[in-house]
Amino acid sequence: MFKFLTKSLIVTALWKHYKRLIISSAVLFASYFVIAAAHRDFLEYAQKMDSRDYVGISYVVKWLVYVCITGAFYWLNTLGEPSSKPAENEEKIYTMQSNNRRSEKQATVETTDVFDSIRKKGRLRSRADVQMAEQKRNK
């Protein structure tokens, strides 16, 4: 029982972390296999027909397709990964001018603060607290 749960947990964690790489690797190797099988079939066809006209070109095409697919795999897994950009709401503090803008924004936020009345309360009570107090008074 615990072995199954442990294996499932490990496989799930690996899948979540490496999902993109696993799928792209499977597609890469499957495409290698399909290209090699198609090339092998073409060579058998050319041998049976005693036609050696396009055999050299077939090797060139095969290796060009290999290079293109490998390049796409490399780009997808290294260069094409989404970069971690800073969120829009993060403030960048580089100059004194940006500090002044930030303090101006805070001043406007403070004047239009809708939670100000809640902050000034001495004790906060939930709806459940109010209902319980009413029930005690009604007894």
Side-chain angles (χ1 to χ4, degrees):
M1 174 80 175
F2 289 112
K3 282 186 177 182
F4 175 74
L5 289 175
T6 305
K7 288 178 185 177
S8 298
L9 181 67
I10 291 171
V11 168
T12 303
L14 288 175
W15 176 256
K16 284 184 179 180
H17 193 266
Y18 295 109
K19 177 181 179 180
R20 184 178 188 170
L21 186 62
I22 292 169
I23 292 173
S24 62
S25 297
V27 168
L28 178 73
F29 291 127
S31 62
Y32 281 167
F33 176 75
V34 169
I35 292 167
H39 187 257
R40 192 176 324 114
D41 287 344
F42 176 75
L43 291 178
E44 288 176 11
Y45 170 77
Q47 187 178 15
K48 287 182 181 178
M49 293 300 203
D50 291 331
S51 174
R52 306 241 181 235
D53 296 335
Y54 297 108
V55 173
I57 294 173
S58 72
Y59 278 105
V60 171
V61 169
K62 172 185 154 183
W63 284 103
L64 282 175
V65 172
Y66 276 169
V67 168
C68 289
I69 290 175
T70 306
F73 173 80
Y74 175 75
W75 179 81
L76 180 70
N77 290 311
T78 57
L79 305 176
E81 287 185 7
S83 62
S84 58
K85 295 180 181 176
E88 291 179 13
N89 60 356
E90 288 182 333
E91 296 177 346
K92 297 178 181 177
I93 304 172
Y94 294 111
T95 63
M96 186 64 110
Q97 197 173 36
S98 66
N99 286 337
N100 291 337
R101 288 183 193 152
R102 187 173 57 132
S103 63
E104 290 172 5
K105 286 180 184 177
Q106 286 177 349
T108 59
V109 168
E110 289 174 5
T111 58
T112 60
D113 191 9
V114 294
F115 297 106
D116 192 38
S117 62
I118 296 173
R119 282 192 204 98
K120 290 180 182 177
K121 288 187 176 183
R123 181 174 177 221
L124 296 177
R125 293 175 46 191
S126 68
R127 188 182 314 172
D129 292 333
V130 172
Q131 288 178 354
M132 288 172 55
E134 286 179 13
Q135 286 177 358
K136 284 182 182 178
R137 274 188 254 144
N138 291 337
K139 284 186 178 180

